[in-house]
C-alpha cells in the first residue's frame, strides 16, 4: 500500500529552517548525513498531535503550532545577560557548565576546575568525530528534530570509582526572544562512581522562545547518582526535553524534577534498569498556574530481575493550569522479583484546573510486586479552617498545606543543601501566586 504524507504548514516552515541552519550545524560529513536522516523522520511524522496516544494530552500542533527559527550564537550582550542569570541561579559549591541560547559558554563555566575529576567535551567537539550521540534507542518526531538541529551540549565522563567532590550543574540560559534552541548532552557515570548532576533551565529576559533538549545518561555498576532537574523557563516559553537513561547492576539512581515555568512543557523519560539489584527513585512536582501546561511522561523498563523502582509525583494546579502524568512500568519476562510502585497525586486549587494522570503496568513476569495509584482533589477544608482559626490569612494557610503536599516528593532529595534549594524554589512559586 502506498501512503502519501501531506506536509503541514509547520512542516514546510521547519524544512526551510533546516535548510538555512544546516551550514552552521556542527559535525563531520557523516554527522550531517545522520542529521538529514533524522530530519526526514521528523518531516514524515510532523509535530505530535492528539491522535498519537503518547501525545494525546499534549497536542503540540494545537499548543505550539510552529517551530521557531534557530537562535543565533550569543553575542557579548547576551553573554552579559546570561552571566547575571547564572549568578542568580548557580548552586553554591557546584561546578557550572553553562549553555547560552544553545551554545556552550566557556567563560561562564567551570570546565577547567571540573577537568581534575571528570572528562568533559562539548557536543560540538564530539560531533566532529562521530554521530553516535545523535542516535537513541527510542525516537519520535521531537527526538528526531532534536537530533537534526542540535547545536551544542555537554559530554561528561565520570571515571570508574570517582567520587565527585561537588555537584555538576548544567545551566541552560535563554536570552533571545522568538527563537528555538536545540541541545543534546551525555553523562556517563563509571562503575562504583558517585555523582550529583543538576540541570537548570532559566530565562534572562527572553520571551516566547522554544527549548528542545535531550540527555543521555548511562550509570555503571555499583554507582550512586543523584540527578535533579529544575525547569523555570519564561511563562510564555516552550520546553520539550527527552531523557534516555540506562542503569547498571547494584546501582542507585535518584532522579527529581520540578516544573515551575513555561507555557508548554514536557519531560519524557525512557529509563531502563539493565543490571540486577538496582534501585530507581523518580520523584517530581509540577507547580503550575494561569494557563500553563506541564506534561511528565515516563517509561520505566525493568529488563532484569531483582530491581526496585519508586515513582512519586505531585501536581499543584491553579487558575486554568493543566498537568499531565503518564507513567508506564514494563516488567520483562526475565525480570522476576521486580518491585515497582508508582503514585501520582494532583491538588486542584481552582475549578478550572485540570489534571490527567495515566499510570500503566505492563507485566510479563509472574513473580513480581507492582502497583500504582492516582488521586486528584482540592485542599482539605477542615485543615484550612483549622489554620485560619489560628489567625493565618487564607493564602498563608493554603501555602502551608501546599508545602506539605509537595513535601513527600521533595524529601526524597538526599542532599540537605539541594533539598533546601528546591524548597526555596517552591516557596518562590507560592509567593508568586499570592
Amino acid at each position: 500500500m502506498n501512503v502519501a504524507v501531506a506536509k503541514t504548514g509547520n512542516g514546510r516552515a521547519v524544512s526551510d529552517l533546516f535548510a538555512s541552519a544546516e551550514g552552521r550545524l556542527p559535525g563531520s560529513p557523516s554527522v550531517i548525513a545522520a542529521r538529514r536522516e533524522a530530519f526526514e523522520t521528523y518531516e514524515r511524522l510532523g509535530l505530535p498531535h492528539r491522535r498519537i496516544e503518547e501525545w494525546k494530552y499534549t497536542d503540540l500542533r494545537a499548543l505550539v503550532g510552529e517551530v521557531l527559527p534557530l537562535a543565533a550564537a550569543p553575542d557579548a550582550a547576551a553573554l552579559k545577560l546570561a552571566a547575571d542569570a547564572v549568578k542568580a541561579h548557580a548552586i553554591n559549591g557546584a561546578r557550572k557548565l553553562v549553555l547560552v541560547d544553545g551554545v556552550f559558554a566557556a567563560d561562564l563555566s567551570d570546565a577547567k576546575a571540573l577537568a581534575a575529576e571528570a572528562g568533559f567535551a562539548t557536543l560540538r567537539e564530539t560531533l566532529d568525530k562521530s554521530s553516535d550521540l545523535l542516535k537513541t534507542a527510542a525516537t519520535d518526531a521531537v527526538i528526531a528534530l532534536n537530533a537534526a538541529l542540535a547545536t551544542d551540549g555537554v559530554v561528561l565522563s565520570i571515571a570508574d570509582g570517582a567520587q565527585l567532590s561537588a555537584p555538576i550543574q548544567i545551566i541552560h540560559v535563554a536570552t533571545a526572544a522568538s527563537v528555538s534552541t536545540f541541545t543534546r548532552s551525555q553523562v556517563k557515570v563509571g562503575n562504583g562512581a558517585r555523582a550529583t548532576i543538576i540541570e537548570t533551565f532559566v530565562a534572562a529576559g527572553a520571551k516566547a522562545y522554544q527549548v528542545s533538549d535531550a540527555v543521555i545518561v548511562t550509570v555503571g555498576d555499583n554507582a550512586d547518582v543523584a540527578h535533579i532537574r529544575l525547569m523555570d523557563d519564561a511563562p510564555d516559553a516552550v520546553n520539550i526535553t527527552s531523557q534516555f537513561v540506562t542503569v547498571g547492576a547494584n546501582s542507585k539512581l535518584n532522579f527529581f524534577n520540578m516544573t515551575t515555568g513555561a507555557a508548554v512543557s514536557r519531560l519524557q523519560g525512557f529509563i531502563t534498569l539493565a543490571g540486577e539489584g538496582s534501585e530507581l527513585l523518580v520523584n517530581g512536582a509540577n507547580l503550575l498556574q494561569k494557563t500553563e501546561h506541564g506534561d511528565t511522561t515516563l517509561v520505566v523498563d525493568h529488563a532484569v530481575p531483582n530491581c526496585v523502582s519508586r515513582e512519586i509525583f505531585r501536581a499543584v494546579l491553579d487558575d486554568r493550569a493543566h498537568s499531565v502524568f503518564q507513567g508506564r512500568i514494563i516488567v520483562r519476562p526475565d525480570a522476576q522479583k521486580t518491585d515497582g510502585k508508582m503514585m501520582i497525586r494532583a491538588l486542584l486549587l481552582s475549578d478550572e484546573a485540570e489534571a490527567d494522570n495515566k499510570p500503566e503496568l505492563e507485566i510479563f513476569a509472574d513473580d513480581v510486586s507492582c502497583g500504582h495509584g492516582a488521586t486528584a482533589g482540592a485542599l482539605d477544608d477542615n485543615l484550612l479552617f483549622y489554620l485560619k482559626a489560628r489567625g493565618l490569612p487564607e493564602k498563608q494557610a493554603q501555602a502551608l498545606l501546599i508545602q506539605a503536599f509537595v513535601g513527600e516528593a521533595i524529601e526524597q532529595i538526599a542532599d540537605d543543601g539541594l533539598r533546601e534549594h528546591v524548597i526555596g524554589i517552591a516557596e518562590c512559586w507560592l509567593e508568586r501566586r499570592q
Side-chain angles (χ1 to χ4, degrees), residues 7-294:
K7 294 181 181 179
T8 66
N10 299 330
R12 287 192 294 272
V14 175
S15 180
D16 294 341
L17 168 67
F18 183 76
S20 63
E22 186 176 3
R24 55 191 178 100
L25 294 173
S28 62
S30 65
V31 171
I32 297 301
R35 289 183 183 278
R36 288 189 183 129
E37 183 179 346
F39 184 74
E40 288 170 2
T41 299
Y42 171 73
E43 273 196 315
R44 185 174 69 254
L45 298 175
L47 278 175
H49 52 81
R50 64 174 62 249
R51 292 194 296 277
I52 300 172
E53 182 63 24
E54 291 81 2
W55 292 85
K56 176 180 178 181
Y57 303 105
T58 302
D59 185 337
L60 291 188
R61 291 190 184 179
L63 292 169
V64 176
E66 63 177 353
V67 179
L68 297 172
L70 192 65
D75 57 16
L79 291 173
K80 185 176 185 307
L81 286 172
D84 293 337
V86 169
K87 286 181 183 177
H89 296 278
I91 293 175
N92 288 336
R95 304 272 170 72
K96 304 182 299 295
L97 298 172
V98 181
L99 294 156
V100 181
D101 296 334
V103 178
F104 179 69
D107 291 342
L108 303 180
S109 302
D110 300 321
K112 290 183 179 177
L114 180 63
E117 295 188 298
F120 169 75
T122 64
L123 178 73
R124 180 172 290 270
E125 294 167 341
T126 304
L127 290 181
D128 285 337
K129 304 171 185 173
S130 169
S131 63
D132 289 349
L133 278 183
L134 298 183
K135 302 170 185 173
T136 52
T139 192
D140 61 19
V142 298
I143 296 169
L145 186 61
N146 179 279
L149 295 174
T151 52
D152 214 342
V154 302
V155 180
L156 289 168
S157 179
I158 299 168
D160 292 350
Q163 310 285 309
L164 296 190
S165 61
I168 297 173
Q169 186 181 15
I170 303 168
I171 305 178
H172 297 255
V173 185
T175 71
S178 303
V179 296
S180 62
T181 63
F182 294 84
T183 51
R184 180 169 287 224
S185 297
Q186 181 186 54
V187 179
K188 277 188 175 180
V189 181
N191 297 334
R194 183 185 181 92
T196 297
I197 308 296
I198 305 159
E199 294 179 274
T200 305
F201 294 82
V202 296
K207 295 182 179 179
Y209 58 90
Q210 297 173 350
V211 174
S212 170
D213 184 49
V215 184
I216 303 165
V217 179
T218 305
V219 180
D221 297 342
N222 303 299
D224 188 345
V225 178
H227 183 184
I228 296 171
R229 179 178 181 272
L230 306 171
M231 198 283 283
D232 189 23
D233 275 306
D236 52 3
V238 175
N239 185 312
I240 308 295
T241 294
S242 303
Q243 294 186 340
F244 311 91
V245 183
T246 304
V247 183
N250 301 309
S251 292
K252 181 177 180 179
L253 173 61
N254 187 348
F255 174 72
F256 176 85
N257 175 70
M258 176 171 276
T259 298
T260 55
V264 179
S265 66
R266 174 171 165 120
L267 169 64
Q268 55 178 9
F270 306 90
I271 306 172
T272 300
L273 296 173
E276 289 193 42
S278 288
E279 181 180 355
L280 172 69
L281 303 175
V282 184
N283 306 285
N286 282 350
L287 306 182
L288 307 175
Q289 57 184 335
K290 298 180 181 176
T291 58
E292 292 172 342
H293 177 107

